[in-house]
Amino acid sequence: MGDKANAHPGAAGRAVTADHPASVRNVVLVGHSGSGKTTLVEALALTAGAVNRAGRVEDGGTVSDYDEIEHRQQRSVQLSLVPVAWDGYKINILDTPGYADFVGELRAGLRAADAALFVVSAADGVDGSTRMVWEECAAVGMPRAIVVTHLEAARADFDEMTRVCAETFGGDDPDAVLPLYLPLHGDPAPDGHAPVTGLIGLLSQRLFDYASGERKESEPGPEQLPLLAEARNRLIEGIIAESEDESLMDRYLGGEEIDVKTLVDDLERAVARGAFHPVLAAAPAADGARQGLGTVELLELVTGGFPTPLERPTPAVYTTRGASRPPVDCDPDGPLVAEVVKTASDPYVGRVSLVRVFSGTLRPDETVHVSGHGLADRAHANGDGDRRNGDRQAALDPHDLYDLHEADERVGALTAPFGKQQRSLAQCVAGDLACVAKLHRAETGDTLSAKDDPLLMEPWDMPDPLLPLAIQAHSKADEDKLSQGLSRLVAEDPTMRLEQNPDTHQVVLWCLGEAHADVALERLRSRYGVQVDVIPHKVSLRETFAGRSAGRGRHVKQSGGHGQFAICEIEVEPLPGGSGIEFVDKVVGGAVPRQFIPSVEKGIRAQAAKGVAAGYPLIDIRVTLLDGKAHSVDSSDAAFQTAGALALREAAGDATIHLLEPVVEVQVLIGDDDVGSVMSDLSGRRGRVVGTEQAPGGRTLVRAEVPEIEIGRYAVDLRSLSHGTARFSRAYARHEPMPAHLSERIREQAQDTT
């Protein structure tokens, strides 16, 4: 690294292609919002010749142009792909949003990539969310390197930032996180800050000067070599410690000078294994410059040190019936196995799917089998999967998902994105990525395979959306388009969940945070022409009797011809939570004819569904039919249904009715320093902490039970409380009586609306 020639094939004006997995590198950029990821992508594209000196592609846009929402919000909100060519390799650069609300886009980028480039700002340091992503990558052995940006900032200090990275990312082995180059500073500015104008390679001991706008290589001056000695020796020791050649350490300790080529080869192997994590520096090109500082070194690291798709394991695959299959190899001639990692809508092309091919070769106009994990979508649509409403929970076999989402579809054009352009591709081989047009039935996370050998890939982890957004159409015209717009929105973004709550009759869009919700509403408006209003989110309350009560339902009417006659007497008593409604017949002597007893029950259950106090479903009671009267001519099914309902209402009028609120089990994973704040906040939400336990990485898992009505915005509040480092999950536990003052307020609100 650092000794290769400057010559490189430009990619401007044509699509970058790959004919074999060995010539492909897939790298995802990770870092907090504002760390400079998108700027770095553009600088790499400029150095690789994908754009001109003004940073523009042929259509006048930049390589990162895509979403108008990103331009308005001045931040990335979605995953974008920029393919460039360098030294005979195709590099797929995946730029991810840094804001926590769009972590789903980050997870998609991690799925599609074989290595990660962590972008850290020298001015801002490393935030907690970046540390968490590093740990995720470490858990799966993904190779990682670190790029320090914003070196032009007045308080930027590369040496200090390198130390912080080693301390933060190195864990028990800080010598596995070391710089490959040291910055070369120019003359100090009037404010005393000396700009970085070049780099000095620690292994090659060569100077790379970017001051002129193009990288120029030279020998360092004699006064500079002593400054390199300590850092160079530490780097060599770090490389040797991770070397697969066990004799190398003995030779080094014996005083032998290890040649640079051996060190570079060992370094590249250690990086590809995920055992060593080099730190580099980068800065965008100045106006009119051809190369940004450190961009050549980065491209050399990616092509020389990051693994090929052949070296990374592929996700597990199954048949569409759930049977295990041997792992597929990254072989262009193997069976087709590809995955949709992102879905977007183009106003001219329609649906565009970003696809990673793991095996086989994908070609235009061929028919493929689309299979996906559709169980969650169907469950949420009909309410069965709503974890917050236990009385509707269905027992679902995990293998049922393999029957739910399958179709054969013809592949449209294959393209490589360059800004707003889509450049045609003849094929996409195993290990590569491409955009596929008009896969109308494919959604994010779906598998594409041969139609005669349908397969399904193991899904990747996605965060559960926990911020509810209740919406309604703004007008009748919007109402006609709302369903289709929402279905397309959810198909594009698997971190968004749509719920049509049968209890509250609300349409709820579950999001990851406020920014995520804002983008969803904007996409509904701008892409699908649907204007919606946000309304207060309601939780599914219930009612129950606090004690025994009796009621008499009398429905007697005579208005000429056949009349209506039905009388029934009932007793109501509360049951334990989760019992539902139990109906008992204790009528003797035929006071209520046998054919009308089901009518009484039907009327009682219909009234219970409507509620008896504030309009919420009545649950957990036993209703006993004790007595009644009938008429040989005027009694009917409808009359006894009405009498049953009247009896239940009368019993409620003489009893204390409790309003029940849903209580959820909450698990919060938080840093040890924030445990006290989180527990105090949960208590302020009427929560009960039921336990804590230590978790790896200096974190604590707090388990609590909290009324759902109190945690509607907990996804937002917890992020603020923990500076974005905490995670939480929730699951329905049960319904419990609501405090009297809250219950009374809701009853008054219900009366005001009737």
Side-chain angles (χ1 to χ4, degrees):
M1 299 179 188
D3 294 318
K4 296 180 180 178
N6 251 355
H8 57 276
R14 61 180 176 82
V16 182
T17 60
D19 56 6
H20 193 272
S23 63
V24 177
R25 300 293 185 275
N26 299 310
V27 55
V28 60
L29 269 62
V30 178
H32 66 81
S33 185
S35 61
K37 296 185 300 297
T38 301
T39 302
L40 179 60
V41 171
E42 294 177 352
L44 293 171
L46 174 62
T47 296
V51 295
N52 59 32
R53 292 194 179 199
R56 319 297 288 183
V57 293
E58 289 177 337
D59 64 352
T62 66
V63 292
S64 56
D65 279 342
Y66 190 77
D67 197 314
E68 61 183 58
I69 299 174
E70 293 183 320
H71 289 293
R72 283 197 294 271
Q73 297 198 2
Q74 295 297 302
R75 65 181 171 194
S76 297
V77 300
Q78 65 178 2
L79 175 71
S80 63
L81 168 65
V82 179
V84 301
W86 181 262
D87 199 26
Y89 296 95
K90 178 185 181 183
I91 305 174
N92 290 313
I93 305 173
L94 294 152
D95 185 16
T96 63
Y99 198 66
D101 277 16
F102 308 106
V103 67
E105 303 285 324
L106 168 62
R107 297 284 175 83
L110 292 172
R111 176 70 159 206
D114 300 307
L117 209 52
F118 280 73
V119 183
V120 176
S121 169
D124 301 326
V126 182
D127 71 336
S129 59
T130 303
R131 289 197 298 269
M132 293 170 68
V133 179
W134 180 277
E135 292 171 4
E136 287 185 26
C137 292
V140 297
M142 176 174 279
R144 286 146 284 152
I146 302 157
V147 186
V148 179
T149 59
H150 295 165
L151 294 171
E152 72 282 359
R155 61 182 184 276
D157 186 333
F158 179 80
D159 292 337
E160 174 61 18
M161 198 66 246
T162 300
R163 185 195 65 78
V164 170
C165 288
E167 183 179 283
T168 304
F169 300 133
D172 297 332
D173 188 12
D175 286 339
V177 181
L178 294 171
L180 300 185
Y181 303 87
L182 293 183
L184 178 68
H185 295 273
D187 296 331
D191 62 0
H193 179 68
V196 178
T197 59
L199 301 169
I200 303 177
L202 292 179
L203 292 182
S204 64
Q205 298 189 90
R206 302 287 290 175
L207 189 151
F208 306 103
D209 190 355
Y210 285 86
S212 65
E214 289 198 30
R215 182 178 187 256
K216 295 181 179 179
E217 184 176 343
S218 63
E219 293 280 352
E223 73 283 358
Q224 294 167 325
L225 290 177
L227 302 176
L228 303 179
E230 181 179 350
R232 186 174 192 271
N233 289 337
R234 189 177 179 194
L235 173 61
I236 291 173
E237 291 172 3
I239 294 171
I240 292 175
E242 301 296 341
S243 175
E244 295 176 334
D245 183 355
E246 297 180 358
S247 68
L248 203 59
M249 180 62 77
D250 294 334
R251 289 160 53 195
Y252 176 73
L253 294 176
E256 181 180 337
E257 183 73 23
I258 309 298
D259 65 276
V260 172
K261 184 181 184 307
T262 299
L263 292 172
V264 169
D265 290 345
D266 271 1
L267 169 64
E268 292 179 344
R269 285 192 288 267
V271 171
R273 294 198 319 272
F276 189 84
H277 315 292
V279 182
L280 298 92
D287 292 342
R290 182 170 171 266
Q291 295 173 335
L293 183 141
T295 53
V296 172
E297 287 74 18
L298 268 176
L299 291 168
E300 290 179 351
L301 171 68
V302 170
T303 56
F306 281 170
T308 72
L310 297 166
E311 300 172 77
R312 295 290 297 158
T314 56
V317 294
Y318 305 88
T319 69
T320 53
R321 299 300 169 188
S324 298
R325 280 279 301 260
V328 296
D329 296 323
C330 184
D331 180 2
D333 298 321
L336 177 64
V337 180
E339 187 171 43
V340 179
V341 294
K342 177 178 172 55
T343 309
S345 294
D346 185 278
Y348 304 105
V349 180
R351 181 175 290 191
V352 178
S353 304
L354 177 61
V355 173
R356 161 77 190 256
V357 180
F358 288 93
S359 173
T361 299
L362 186 65
R363 297 179 177 86
D365 299 323
E366 68 178 349
T367 300
V368 299
H369 187 80
V370 179
S371 52
H373 303 263
L375 172 63
D377 294 335
R378 191 170 76 171
H380 292 139
N382 64 20
D384 290 339
D386 188 346
R387 295 176 302 172
R388 292 162 292 110
N389 295 280
D391 52 330
R392 293 203 314 272
Q393 183 71 33
L396 298 171
D397 184 348
H399 288 88
D400 287 346
L401 62 88
Y402 298 106
D403 298 320
L404 298 181
H405 188 60
E406 292 189 74
D408 287 340
E409 216 172 345
R410 186 178 180 183
V411 174
L414 297 185
T415 57
F418 268 83
K420 293 180 179 178
Q421 290 185 349
Q422 294 287 336
R423 296 175 177 172
S424 296
L425 294 174
Q427 63 180 19
C428 183
V429 300
D432 202 359
L433 290 97
C435 291
V436 183
K438 299 181 180 179
L439 284 177
H440 299 293
R441 293 187 177 92
E443 301 176 359
T444 301
D446 285 358
T447 303
L448 309 183
S449 56
K451 65 177 182 178
D452 57 350
D453 185 19
L455 299 172
L456 187 66
M457 299 193 76
E458 186 177 50
W460 71 85
D461 290 335
M462 278 292 186
D464 194 13
L466 297 170
L467 180 68
L469 187 73
I471 58 176
Q472 64 183 17
H474 182 71
S475 65
K476 180 67 170 101
D478 294 311
E479 188 173 340
D480 295 338
K481 298 181 289 185
L482 180 60
S483 177
Q484 185 179 29
L486 287 173
S487 63
R488 289 183 177 179
L489 194 68
V490 173
E492 292 178 10
D493 188 351
T495 63
M496 200 172 288
R497 177 164 60 85
L498 180 63
E499 175 196 354
Q500 297 183 8
N501 194 303
D503 293 334
T504 64
H505 307 292
Q506 285 188 325
V507 176
V508 182
L509 202 58
W510 289 84
C511 305
L512 293 176
E514 289 181 311
H516 194 208
D518 290 344
V519 168
L521 297 179
E522 180 61 22
R523 284 179 175 161
L524 277 176
R525 184 194 64 79
S526 60
R527 287 188 183 178
Y528 308 118
V530 182
Q531 189 77 30
V532 299
D533 298 323
V534 178
I535 57 177
H537 175 247
K538 299 177 182 178
V539 300
S540 301
L541 302 181
R542 300 286 188 268
E543 300 174 0
T544 196
F545 279 63
R548 287 177 178 268
S549 183
R552 185 172 189 266
R554 184 176 185 275
H555 183 62
V556 178
K557 288 188 177 181
Q558 187 69 42
S559 57
H562 281 299
Q564 299 180 52
F565 187 94
I567 298 174
C568 62
E569 297 179 6
I570 64 170
E571 182 182 68
V572 183
E573 57 185 310
L575 293 177
S579 300
I581 297 177
E582 182 181 326
F583 181 81
V584 179
D585 170 24
K586 287 190 176 181
V587 174
V588 295
V592 177
R594 306 308 303 170
Q595 68 268 27
F596 294 134
I597 289 176
S599 303
V600 176
E601 180 180 0
K602 187 175 181 180
I604 288 171
R605 290 187 181 277
Q607 183 62 52
K610 297 176 184 177
V612 293
Y616 296 102
L618 183 67
I619 61 171
D620 299 337
I621 56 169
R622 176 185 292 123
V623 181
T624 303
L625 178 60
L626 301 173
D627 201 358
K629 292 181 180 179
H631 189 277
S632 59
V633 176
D634 293 340
S635 291
S636 64
D637 170 66
F640 271 99
Q641 283 190 47
T642 303
L646 291 172
L648 185 61
R649 290 210 297 266
E650 181 177 293
D654 295 335
T656 300
I657 303 298
H658 281 162
L659 279 188
L660 304 178
E661 60 181 342
V663 175
V664 293
E665 296 175 351
V666 176
Q667 294 191 359
V668 186
L669 187 63
I670 189 74
D672 291 343
D673 294 340
D674 295 321
V675 171
S677 300
V678 167
M679 294 176 67
S680 176
D681 179 74
L682 290 172
S683 298
R685 299 173 186 270
R686 298 191 285 125
R688 298 185 295 273
V689 176
V690 297
T692 62
E693 57 188 74
Q694 287 300 120
R699 291 194 287 262
T700 299
L701 183 68
V702 178
R703 291 180 286 108
E705 295 179 345
V706 190
E708 185 184 350
I709 202 169
E710 300 288 348
I711 62 167
R713 288 180 50 83
Y714 194 57
V716 177
D717 299 336
L718 180 62
R719 184 176 299 163
S720 175
L721 190 66
S722 66
H723 308 288
T725 61
R727 298 177 183 175
F728 84 102
S729 62
R730 51 184 279 177
Y732 171 83
R734 61 189 172 276
H735 276 74
E736 286 186 354
M738 181 179 282
H741 67 285
L742 295 178
S743 176
E744 187 60 33
R745 185 190 310 165
I746 289 175
R747 283 194 176 94
E748 292 173 357
Q749 292 172 352
Q751 292 173 358
D752 292 341
T753 57
T754 57

